[in-house]
Amino acid sequence: MTPISIPEPVIEAVRNAQHIVVLTGAGISAESGIPTFREAQTGLWAQYRPEELATPEAFQRHPERVWKWYEWRRSLVRQAAPNPGHLALVQMERLAPRFTLITQNVDGLHQAAGNRHVLELHGNIMRSRCWREGRIVAPAPDDTHIPPRCPHCGAFLRPDVVWFGETLPPDVLAAAEQATNEADVFFSVGTSTVVYPAAALPFEARSHGAFVIEVNPATTPLTPHASAVLRGPAGQVLPALVQAVWNEARA
Ligand SMILES: [Zn+2]
């Protein structure tokens, strides 16, 4: 693999930053082998449209099918481990004066890597919440129902993710927007910049004067507006960046 060289203006901006904000998307998870929603639709799941698997209406009609779909995806997540891109973000959290990590991913790999504060815009596939009360609960270990039932009220549990047609958790989105507005350096990592409202964040950061750095192997709608573009997978670019800025050994 070719070594990634980090341009001097990027090193300067990151080194002088008081508040670094990083937004991550599916690309960094893909590098850990986590398939996208569509890629996970193999075998018996291929016959369904996404809205038959990931909407409140689908859950009301076919709770067992929807729960099993998430069981399947959780099994894929359990086989995955954080990659060097995730680990570089743990180092950044430790080294930056202030650091906010915002993710669109639902797999919890940032926390598994060791990041302590993660704003999960789309929830977390490993968590469950009560369909009726909305509170986060873990199913009882001996619960064999599909879906399992809320230990408090007996209603179905649902995965704590944002389904099609649902709004993002307002407190998480507000915290993400506030951090974005205060950032002096903003990274957009492995995100296609097409799913709103997350896709708006790098543009908001730019309009508030942040130095916006895109880390992506591919061109996105953000590319022409970014202050700098680091072409390549997060697992190569981010460790090279951390080393260039802080002279840290690779994770
Ligand atoms: Zn309940």
Side-chain angles (χ1 to χ4, degrees), residues 175-192:
E177 283 176 337
Q178 191 184 337
T180 296
N181 294 343
E182 293 167 4
D184 37 25
V185 168
F186 186 103
F187 284 91
S188 177
V189 178
T191 167
S192 54

Side-chain angles (χ1 to χ4, degrees), residues 1-6 23-33 83-89 187-191 213-220 229-242 250:
M1 98 180 110
T2 20
I4 306 269
S5 91
I6 309 296
L23 170 69
T24 64
I28 192 167
S29 290
E31 292 174 45
S32 283
N83 64 64
H86 291 104
L87 298 174
L89 293 176
F187 284 91
S188 177
V189 178
T191 167
I213 302 163
E214 177 170 69
V215 178
N216 204 306
T219 300
T220 79
V229 177
L230 303 176
R231 278 275 165 263
Q236 290 175 34
V237 171
L238 293 178
L241 177 115
V242 168
R250 300 189 69 146

Side-chain angles (χ1 to χ4, degrees), residues 130 132-133 135 150 152-155:
C130 176
R132 185 188 294 155
E133 302 170 286
R135 64 162 112 175
C150 173
H152 303 285
C153 76

Side-chain angles (χ1 to χ4, degrees), residues 69-194:
W69 161 245
Y70 281 91
E71 267 302 297
W72 158 241
R73 293 186 52 215
R74 281 190 282 265
S75 75
L76 300 173
V77 168
R78 284 191 199 99
Q79 295 166 29
N83 64 64
H86 291 104
L87 298 174
L89 293 176
V90 177
Q91 291 180 298
M92 278 173 80
E93 182 170 53
R94 188 161 55 77
L95 294 162
R98 231 183 119 198
F99 181 82
T100 303
L101 180 53
I102 307 166
T103 189
Q104 300 168 85
N105 301 331
V106 295
D107 48 52
L109 282 183
H110 288 303
Q111 293 93 328
N115 278 110
R116 283 182 293 175
H117 303 290
V118 185
L119 295 172
E120 295 176 313
L121 290 176
H122 296 163
N124 188 313
I125 203 172
M126 307 310 272
R127 275 196 311 262
S128 303
R129 79 174 123 104
C130 176
W131 169 251
R132 185 188 294 155
E133 302 170 286
R135 64 162 112 175
I136 307 290
V137 279
D142 57 349
D143 189 342
T144 53
H145 296 103
I146 300 173
R149 304 299 148 85
C150 173
H152 303 285
C153 76
F156 288 142
L157 294 188
R158 57 162 287 176
D160 185 30
V161 295
V162 176
W163 280 332
F164 299 114
E166 292 188 310
T167 53
L168 275 59
D171 51 333
V172 179
L173 183 58
E177 283 176 337
Q178 191 184 337
T180 296
N181 294 343
E182 293 167 4
D184 37 25
V185 168
F186 186 103
F187 284 91
S188 177
V189 178
T191 167
S192 54
T193 327
V194 290

